[in-house]
Amino acid sequence: MPYFGSEEMVKELKRALSNPNVQADRLRYKNYITKVIRYMTQGLDVSALFMDMVKASATVDIAQKKLVYLYMCTYASDKPDLALLAINTLRKDCADPNPMVRGLALRNMCNFRMPGMTEYIEQPIVAGLRDKASYVRRVAVLGCAKMHSLQPNTDIDGTIVNELYALLRDPDPVVVVNCLRALEEILKDEGGVVINKPIAHHLLNRMKDLDSWAQSEVLTFLLRYRPRSDDELFDILSLLDSFLQSAHAHVAVATLRLFLQLASAHPAVQADALLCTSAPLLATCGAASRELRFAGLCHVQQVMRSQPGLFGTHYKRFFCGYSEPTYIKFRKMEILVELVNDENVALVLEELRSYCTDVSPELAQAAIAAIGRIAQTYSEKCLDILTGLLALKQDHITSAVIQMFRDLVWFCPQSTAAVCQTVEACVDSPQDSEQALLWLLGEHGDQISSAPYVMEGYIDGLKTELSSAVKMELLTASVKMFLCRPAETQDMLGRLLHYCIEEESDVCVRDRALLCYRLLQRGVEETRKVVTGPKSDPSMSVLTGRQEEPISQWASTFNTLGPLSGCDLCPQTAVISAADQPSSSAEKELLPESTDVTLSSPDDTEEEISLSLGPPLSHETFEKMWLDLEILQRQTMGFPRPRTALDTLQAALQLVKIQTLAFTPGATVPWKAYIYTRSTGTLILAELLQGDQHAPGIDESLVVSVKQQPVNQHAIRGFVSILKGVLQTLNVDSS
Amino acid sequence: MSRCHFLSRQERVLLQTPMSSHQVLICRNYKGDVDMSEIDHFFTLLMQQEEEGLVCPVMSHGNVHFLWIKHSNLYLVATTNKNSNASLVYAFLYKLVEVFTEYFKELEEESIQDNFVVVYELLDELMDFGFPQTTDSKILQEYITQKGNKLEVAKTKVPTTVTNAVSWRSEGIKYKKNEVFIDVIESINVLVNANGSVMSSDIVGSIKLKTMLSGMPELRLGLNDRMLFALTGRKNQTILHCLSDELMKRISPTNVKPLIWIESVIEKFSHSRVEIMVKAKGQFKKQSVANNVEIRVPVPSDADSPKFKTSTGHAKYVPEKNLVVWSIKSFPGGKEFLMRAHFGLPSVENHELEGRPPITVKFEIPYFTVSGIQVRYMKIIEKSGYQALPWVRYITQSGDYQLRTNS
C-alpha cells in the first residue's frame, strides 16, 4: 500500500543511514535500521536503501545483523546486482568464529531467491556440512535443499547427496531429520529419500531423541520401508509401540498410520494398534484447541469406516459442547449416528433432540437429519421425536422434519402409516419442503384423508408459486392422487392441467402437464401403469448405511489433509513413491503393473498381451486423437453385437481392462461404441459399428476399427482377439 | 508448511452491511513455492464460509491449502501446497502461540507490532524451509532476548543448547538444591442434561514436572495402576496424557458423581423479571475443600437491575458476558449453598433468539484425585550421583464442566 509521502520517508532514512554521526552512534544507527524494517513490514517499498543496509551488516550486534539479513532476503530478488555486493559480507560471516553468526549468515544467504546464487553458496554450504557446531550443520543441510530448489532442473550433485546420507548418522537429532527433509526435496523426482534397512533401523533407534515434529516426520518417512521378514516387522513394531500412546496427537496418529501400513498382512496387529490408539485419539477429540479437536474427530471417522464398534462405549464423548464451533458439532453428530446401538439409542436420541431446537437453523436441521438417519433402524422412537418437533411450529424445523419423513417412508415402508397420520396435521408446510410434502400426498394419498384438500390449496395458489420444481411435483402428485381418489381430485386436476398448459410460461412445467394430459387421454389403466412405481425401496438403505471397509481403503490418506477437507486430495508424495526402488518414471505410473491382466485369447494361444486401464481419457482427448489418427486395422467380427444389456457389455469389457467411453442407445441403427485401453506403452482406441449404411452387405455383423498410438501391431492383434473373446462369450450367454 | 502468516482483522460493523477489513501483520515466506498473493484468497474464502455458516479450519484454493487458527483478534495461517499432516501443522501453530505468549505475555495485534524484530527472529529460529527447528521456548529464550535494543557485544556467545547433541536441555545446568516438583492433575469433564441426568463425565489426567535438577539426569516415575513412564532427562515440563484403559474403567459414568452438583431453577416472566435460584452441593469427601469455586449462571442479554442473595461467597453480574458469577473461596465437601438472583426485564421484548448457554463451574480441589492414582516412586539417576528431592502434589480441577439449563 503506497503511503502518502513515502518517498520523502525513504529519502530521509537514506540521509540518516549515510550520516557518519549516526553510524558512529550504535544505538541510533540500529534504531534507524529497525525503522526501515518496520516500513518494510508495513508494505512500503524501501528497496532504495539497499546499499546503505548492506553497509550496516558489518556489525558485532547479532540482532542488527538479523534485521539487515532479513532486509536483504526480502529485496534480493528485486535487486540481484546489488545483492551480489552483500554476498561478500555474508561469506565473510560464514567464516566467523562465532557459530551463531556462521549459521545466521549461511541461512540467510541460502534464502536469497535469485538466479545465479548457486555458485556463491555452494562452497559455504559444503563447509557448513562439516562444521563442528551442530547449529551450523542444521542450517547447511537445509541449505542444500534450498540450493536445489533455486535450480530445480539441474542435475543432482552426487557428492552432496552422499554427504547428506552420511550425515544421517550425525549426533544431533535435528541434523538427522533435516537431512531426511533435504534429501526428500532434492531427490523428489527420483521418488524421494531412500530408506533402506540400515537407515530404517538407525532412525528407529534414534526415535526417542527426536522432538515431536521430527518423530512425526520420521514416522512418515518410514512408511516407505518394507521389512524383509516377519521377525523384523515385529521388532520394529515393538520399538514403536510406546509412540502409539504419545502425548502429541500428531505423533500418535503418525505411528498408527505406520502400524497400519507395516502390518497390512496382519489384521490382528492392526486391530490391536487401533485399540491402543483409541485412547489418544479420544483425548485429541477433547483437546483444548478446537482445530486439533476437529482433526481428531476426522480421524476417528476414518477409523470407524473399518471398525465401527471401536468407539461404541465412548459415545458420550461425542456429545456437543455449547461453545463448540459448528464444524465440530457437525462431525460429532455424524459420528453419533454411526455409533448408535440398542443400548445407547435412547440417550443419543435425547441428546440429538436437544440440538434440534438450537438457535442455529443449520445445526437444528443437521440434528433432524441425524435423527432421520437413525430412524432407518429405530423408526418408532425417532418418529415420536420428529412428530413432537412439528408441534414447535418453527418453519426450519418443520421443513427438515417433512423431508426426513419422505426419506423414511421410502426406506422403511413399515413406518408409512405413522407418518401419514402425522402429515395429516401439518397442512401448511413451509417452503423448501413443499416438494417432499407433495410427494408424500401423491404417493400415499389413500392413507391421508385430507390430502386432496391440501393439494387443492396448492393448486389454488399456483399463480404465486415460483418454483417450477414444485409445480412439476404438484402435477405428478395430482395425477397419482386422481388414480386413487378420482371423485375428489378430478375437478382440481382439470384446473391444474388447464392452467399449466394454457398459462404457464415455464416450458418444462408445460411439457410435464401435456405429458400428464396425454397420458390421461390413454385411459386410467394406462396411466396407472406409467405413474405408479414402487412406493418404497428398503434395499436402498443398504446403500446409504455404511459397510465395514478394509483398512487399506483409507490408510493411505490417514494423517493427511484428506480426512479433514472431506475429499481425497492428491496423495502425499511419500505414498506415491512408496516402492523401495526410487526409479518410478512417469511411464510406469501410467501403467500400474498391479492392475494388469494377462489373457490368453481363445483363437490364438501364442499371442499373449496384457491390457491395462491407466488414467481415464476425457471425451475431448479421445475425440481429438480419434480424428488425428489413421485406422490401422478394420475387421469384421462375423457375428452381431451381443444382445445383452449395454451395461453388461460395459462391465464385461471393464473386466478385461477395456474402458468404454461412449455408445449409442440399444435400438438405434447404426449402433456404435467407442472403447479404449492401454497395453505395454501404447494407447489403443477402437470403434465398434453395426448396421453401417455404406456397407449394407455386412448389416448384421459387427465391425471393429482400431487406431493406435504409438503403433504396435502385436498389441493390436492381442487386443482384437481379447475383444473378440469377450463378445463371443457374451453372445453365447445371451442366446 | 511453506508459509506462515499473522493476520489481523478488525470487524467494522456498519449498520446496513457488515464490512470487514483485514491486514497481513507479518508474513514469513519459508519456501517461496506459494505465491505471495495467495493469502488474499484466504479472506475471501473465510468470509464466504462465514456467510454460509460453515467455517472449516482447512480451506483450499487451487493447489494451496490454508490451515488456520484464531487467537484473540489474530489469525495464524499456514499455507502449503503439499498434502501435509494436518495435526502437525495445527500443533505447530499452537506452539507459535505458546512461544509468543511466553515472550510477550499476550499475543495480539499490538504486541506483534511492538515487537516485530523479535517476532522475525523467532520465526527464523522456529522454522526453516518449512520445517520446525527449535521450538522450545526455554531454549529460545537463552539466545533471543526481548531487550533487543540493549547493545551487548559479549552476548554473542552461543548457547550450548543449539550446538549440543541434546537439543532439549542445556549442558552444565547446576542447582544448589536438586528438586523435582510433580503435579498430578486430573481435569474433570462433566456434561449434565437439563433434566439432571449426567450425560458424560470423564477425567483427563496429566502429570506435570518442574525439575530443578543439575546435569543430565534420567528420571523414572513409578505409578500405581501398572503404569510406568520412563523419561530421559527431558524438558522441564513433560505432560503425559494417561488415559489408559485402567483409568477409564474406574471412571465409568455410573459411579462417578459430578464433584460439585448444581440444581438450578431459572424462571423467566416475560416483560417483567427473571428469577434464578441455584443450589450447589459438594459431592466429595468432607475432609477435602474445593478452592476458588466459580459458578457461572447465564442470564438473558437484556436483563437489568440485578439483586443477589447468597448463603456464602458473593455474586457479581458480568453484563458483557451475560453472566452471574458466584464465587466461593472455599467450599468444603458435603456442604450445600444457595444463591438467589433477581433481574428485571424490559417491557419491550428482545426478538432475537438466544441460545441456551449452560451453567459452567470452575474449581480446584488440592490433595485429592478422583481416580486414586498415586506416585509410588521417583528415581533420579545422574552421573554425579546426587540426591534429589521429589515433591508430589495432587490436584483435581474442573475441565469442561457444564450443566445445561431449562430456560
Side-chain angles (χ1 to χ4, degrees), chain A residues 98 185 291 316 351 570, chain B residues 31 83 94 156 199 404:
Chain A
N98 183 345
E185 288 285 325
E291 288 79 14
K316 285 184 173 175
E351 182 69 13
C570 53
Chain B
K31 240 178 151 178
N83 193 3
Y94 275 101
T156 50
M199 297 303 273
R404 294 186 181 152

Side-chain angles (χ1 to χ4, degrees), chain A residues 439-675:
Chain A
W439 185 87
L440 278 169
L441 291 176
E443 205 64 51
H444 300 284
D446 48 338
Q447 294 182 51
I448 306 169
S449 61
S450 65
Y453 311 105
V454 178
M455 211 169 286
E456 188 159 23
Y458 277 101
I459 291 172
D460 289 342
L462 203 60
K463 279 186 184 132
T464 51
E465 178 59 56
L466 295 172
S467 152
S468 54
V470 171
K471 288 179 191 164
M472 297 221 267
E473 191 66 58
L474 185 59
L475 276 166
T476 318
S478 306
V479 173
K480 282 184 199 158
M481 178 88 82
F482 173 70
L483 293 175
C484 62
R485 300 167 77 168
E488 291 155 290
T489 328
Q490 189 178 14
D491 181 51
M492 60 182 177
L493 179 62
R495 270 187 286 145
L496 175 68
L497 287 173
H498 182 266
Y499 174 83
C500 288
I501 293 168
E502 296 291 328
E503 293 178 46
E504 178 56 45
S505 55
D506 191 302
V507 186
C508 293
V509 177
R510 223 179 119 241
D511 280 357
R512 176 73 64 91
L514 281 170
L515 174 77
C516 293
Y517 179 69
R518 289 186 193 128
L519 207 55
L520 287 164
Q521 273 184 325
R522 302 285 298 265
V524 174
E525 276 322 300
E526 198 77 11
T527 317
R528 195 185 303 278
K529 249 193 262 171
V530 175
V531 175
T532 48
K535 283 183 188 270
S536 69
D537 190 357
S539 64
M540 284 292 281
S541 58
V542 179
L543 286 180
T544 49
R546 277 244 204 83
Q547 281 165 311
E548 286 180 33
E549 291 175 42
I551 287 170
S552 56
Q553 284 261 302
W554 48 266
S556 63
T557 57
F558 199 63
N559 202 26
T560 64
L561 287 178
L564 272 81
S565 50
C567 55
D568 286 334
L569 296 160
C570 53
Q572 219 176 14
T573 39
V575 185
I576 290 181
S577 49
D580 238 352
Q581 305 86 351
S583 60
S584 64
S585 59
E587 192 71 15
K588 271 196 177 163
E589 265 169 45
L590 285 174
L591 300 164
E593 282 137 285
S594 52
T595 58
D596 283 7
V597 287
T598 317
L599 268 189
S600 53
S601 62
D603 306 271
D604 192 352
T605 36
E606 285 164 89
E607 293 208 49
E608 275 195 19
I609 70 146
S610 62
L611 301 178
S612 63
L613 284 175
L617 277 188
S618 72
H619 287 253
E620 291 77 26
T621 339
F622 186 93
E623 194 181 334
K624 192 167 175 300
M625 289 179 87
W626 187 257
L627 294 174
D628 288 349
L629 296 172
E630 290 291 313
I631 291 180
L632 288 171
Q633 188 168 0
R634 178 170 278 157
Q635 193 173 354
T636 309
M637 287 292 182
F639 50 82
R641 75 178 169 89
R643 268 177 304 244
T644 47
L646 286 174
D647 22 336
T648 322
L649 174 67
Q650 193 172 358
L653 289 173
Q654 184 99 39
L655 220 61
V656 294
K657 308 283 174 199
I658 298 174
Q659 183 71 47
T660 319
L661 188 84
F663 46 74
T664 45
T668 40
V669 176
W671 181 84
K672 274 184 186 178
Y674 289 96
I675 55 182

Side-chain angles (χ1 to χ4, degrees), chain A residues 142-214:
Chain A
L142 284 183
C144 298
K146 290 178 191 167
M147 186 163 69
H148 182 75
S149 76
L150 280 175
Q151 291 180 309
N153 298 321
T154 47
D155 292 342
I156 294 160
D157 186 348
T159 48
I160 285 195
V161 170
N162 285 339
E163 195 124 358
L164 287 177
Y165 272 118
L167 274 174
L168 283 175
R169 310 262 164 195
D170 198 274
D172 183 65
V174 182
V175 173
V176 175
V177 186
N178 279 357
C179 276
L180 286 175
R181 293 157 171 166
L183 282 168
E184 178 70 14
E185 288 285 325
I186 296 171
L187 303 173
K188 204 165 25 185
D189 296 336
E190 296 185 6
V193 55
V194 179
I195 309 283
N196 57 21
K197 191 172 173 179
I199 294 179
H201 286 212
H202 170 69
L203 290 175
L204 284 165
N205 287 324
R206 293 296 300 271
M207 274 295 281
K208 57 182 189 314
D209 299 337
L210 307 174
D211 60 9
S212 70
W213 323 111

Side-chain angles (χ1 to χ4, degrees), chain A residues 240-425:
Chain A
L240 292 174
D241 213 36
S242 60
F243 294 100
L244 277 178
Q245 300 262 12
S246 168
H248 299 278
H250 53 102
V251 178
V253 177
T255 318
L256 176 60
R257 184 177 172 196
L258 184 60
F259 260 72
L260 295 180
Q261 170 143 351
L262 286 179
S264 50
H266 305 271
V269 178
Q270 285 183 324
D272 241 23
L274 284 172
L275 191 67
C276 249
T277 342
S278 66
L281 264 178
L282 279 172
T284 323
C285 293
S289 82
R290 39 174 71 175
E291 288 79 14
L292 280 174
R293 211 183 294 177
F294 177 67
L297 288 170
C298 296
H299 285 108
V300 164
Q301 266 188 315
Q302 276 214 314
V303 171
M304 274 174 32
R305 282 165 66 176
S306 302
Q307 297 236 336
L310 191 59
F311 299 98
T313 47
H314 306 294
Y315 66 97
K316 285 184 173 175
R317 287 174 163 269
F318 302 104
F319 287 172
C320 303
Y322 174 74
S323 50
E324 281 175 327
T326 333
Y327 56 84
I328 288 186
K329 288 182 178 167
F330 275 27
R331 291 276 174 168
K332 282 193 168 174
M333 279 196 271
E334 282 170 26
I335 293 174
L336 277 176
V337 169
E338 305 268 331
L339 287 181
V340 164
N341 58 30
D342 289 351
E343 281 131 48
N344 61 27
V345 64
L347 267 172
V348 170
L349 282 176
E350 188 185 341
E351 182 69 13
L352 286 172
R353 161 80 181 74
S354 69
Y355 306 153
C356 293
T357 48
D358 197 275
V359 238
S360 147
E362 287 91 9
L363 189 72
Q365 289 184 331
I368 293 168
I371 294 178
R373 276 195 56 197
I374 296 174
Q376 292 172 16
T377 357
Y378 300 95
S379 45
E380 223 169 280
K381 290 182 184 118
C382 299
L383 266 175
D384 287 348
I385 294 180
L386 292 174
T387 313
L389 286 171
L390 286 175
L392 295 172
K393 299 215 179 300
Q394 292 282 327
D395 275 0
H396 66 275
I397 294 178
T398 315
S399 141
V401 170
I402 291 180
Q403 289 179 38
M404 277 307 116
F405 277 161
R406 176 194 49 192
D407 293 355
L408 196 58
V409 166
W410 183 254
F411 292 128
C412 324
Q414 68 274 17
S415 58
T416 312
V419 169
C420 289
Q421 221 174 358
T422 322
V423 168
E424 193 105 31

Side-chain angles (χ1 to χ4, degrees), chain A residues 322, chain B residues 264 266 274 276 295-301 317 321-325 343 355-360 403-405 407:
Chain A
Y322 174 74
Chain B
S264 67
I266 303 179
V274 182
I276 299 170
I295 300 163
R296 296 155 177 263
V297 187
V299 291
S301 60
Y317 177 42
K321 286 183 181 158
N322 301 322
L323 281 178
V324 173
V325 180
F343 286 90
R356 282 164 304 176
I359 295 179
T360 52
L403 300 103
R404 294 186 181 152
T405 57
S407 70

